[in-house]
Every structure is written in structure tokens, then in C-alpha cells.
Amino acid sequence: YAYILDHELKKRVKWQPWQYLLDLLDVLDEFDDIVLFKARQLGWTWTVSGWADHKVSFSEAAKGLLLSQGEKEAWDFLGKAKYIIRQLPDYLRLTEKHTDNRALLDFKSTDSLLEALPSTDKAGRSTDASFVLRDELAQHPFGKENFAAIGPTVDAGSSKLIDLSTIDKMDLENHFTERVNKALMGASRKDLPSGLSVYT
């Protein structure tokens, strides 16, 4: 039922369940601290947005935080989730509480919500979020400080953290690159038939 915008084709297209995206959904459900090192134009951000929609649509009092480098980027990230929700057939689409809020997607029937926040040193501090998604983390100006703010909630097992980004090859010491290197250190690798490699 998911439709997304294809900016290259300049039209609405149905989300395609390519095997690597189905594998990605399995990873999102299985692990609580996830670092996704991705290439561009693979549909990962749309897929993660749809996963977030599913979590807040089918769970009561779920709260997802969508963080990006700035306010506009955070609104764009949430805009993907809103687009998917608003293209659903009527019987699957929940009634929104605040349809005109660019930073919020919330529902009357589930009391669940998605909130878009820019990356700041305090974004997500003392959060009660069910999950935190940080998109294009290599570009976040306060990635490390933000990680310190939300880390305790993830460590306590009450929240899921999903970081995704391409690597900025000109800045090998940024927070996302550090997260990737730490994740790879001593990890076992499993190559899936879809081409996705999983390090645990």
C-alpha cells in the first residue's frame, strides 16, 4: 500500500519490495542499536520512513523522533513519512491530530506520534521515545553531543536507535564515521543474497 515520490521520474510510484529493502526491514526489527552505512538513491530513507509509520500506526503511545542536520532537513524527513501515510487507502489511514504541523505527525486513535527535530546538542535529551532515527548523520553538526543525550535511553533498553548516512570522505573523524568504525571492529560479517552485508 505504500507510495513514494520518485523525483527522477517526477511522479508518485508504488514502493517496491526489493529483497535488500525487505532485509533492511528485518534488521530494523531485530536490533536496537543500528548503524546503516548506505549509498545514495537506494530507497533506504523512504523505507525507514515507512517503517516508522508502521510503528506509530499499529502501536499505542509509540513515539518516534526523526532527527536531521537542520530544521528544514528534519521537516523533509518527516515529510516522507507523512506522504506515505496520506497515500494509504481510507481504511488504513489514521486520523491525524495536527495536520498543519510540519514538525509533527500524530494520531487520535493511537496517541502515537512522529516528531521531527534538528540536530542539536540537546535534541532527544531525557526522551521517552520508542525509537530515534538520525538521517544523514555524517552531516549532523551535533551528532556526538546528541548521541550522549539519547544514549542512556537506548542503553536502558527502552528505545531503539537507528543511524543512517552516506560517509563523508572528506571528514573521516565525524560522529557517523566513528559509529561505523566502532560497529565494524571485531564484528562478524554475514553477506545476504540481496547484497546487504550485516555486521554484528
Side-chain angles (χ1 to χ4, degrees):
Y1 297 103
Y3 282 84
I4 65 174
L5 284 175
D6 187 315
H7 292 294
E8 289 187 7
L9 296 176
K10 297 181 174 58
K11 66 178 185 177
R12 181 183 86 139
V13 297
K14 190 166 186 179
W15 178 83
Q16 294 299 310
W18 303 114
Q19 188 58 51
Y20 72 91
L21 294 176
L22 297 177
D23 289 342
L24 171 61
L25 291 172
D26 288 341
V27 167
L28 294 175
D29 282 335
E30 185 174 351
F31 300 101
D32 289 332
D33 188 359
I34 304 167
V35 181
L36 300 173
F37 171 20
K38 67 184 183 78
R40 296 191 183 278
Q41 305 301 323
L42 292 178
W44 284 37
T45 303
W46 278 104
T47 300
V48 170
S49 297
W51 176 88
D53 281 337
H54 185 271
K55 293 300 176 188
V56 296
S57 295
F58 293 95
S59 304
E60 286 192 15
K63 179 179 181 182
L65 299 182
L66 309 183
L67 277 64
S68 202
Q69 61 186 13
E71 187 174 62
K72 179 189 179 301
E73 291 83 2
W75 289 347
D76 288 347
F77 191 11
L78 180 61
K80 288 179 169 63
K82 286 185 174 191
Y83 185 85
I84 292 170
I85 287 287
R86 292 172 181 171
Q87 302 305 308
L88 291 174
D90 289 344
Y91 67 91
L92 284 177
R93 189 171 59 248
L94 301 179
T95 302
E96 297 175 40
K97 286 183 184 178
H98 302 93
T99 56
D100 58 348
N101 191 325
R102 295 178 71 181
L104 190 66
L105 172 65
D106 54 352
F107 302 114
K108 292 180 178 179
S109 59
T110 63
D111 290 318
S112 295
L113 64 91
L114 290 175
E115 184 177 6
L117 297 171
S119 175
T120 66
D121 57 341
K122 294 184 174 78
R125 185 178 298 280
S126 302
T127 185
D128 58 348
S130 310
F131 57 89
V132 179
L133 298 172
R134 300 193 297 168
D135 187 38
E136 288 302 342
L137 181 57
Q139 306 304 320
H140 287 214
F142 295 99
K144 190 174 290 188
E145 294 86 349
N146 176 250
F147 182 70
I150 60 179
T153 307
V154 177
D155 291 342
S158 55
S159 184
K160 183 185 289 273
L161 175 62
I162 302 163
D163 289 339
L164 63 155
S165 189
T166 52
I167 291 244
D168 182 349
K169 294 179 181 177
M170 302 303 291
D171 181 9
L172 298 180
E173 296 183 2
N174 70 56
H175 174 60
F176 181 70
T177 305
E178 289 177 0
R179 293 267 291 148
V180 169
N181 289 335
K182 185 175 180 183
L184 295 176
M185 195 179 305
S188 61
R189 174 176 172 166
K190 181 178 181 181
D191 294 320
L192 304 179
S194 66
L196 194 67
S197 295
V198 179
Y199 295 83
T200 55

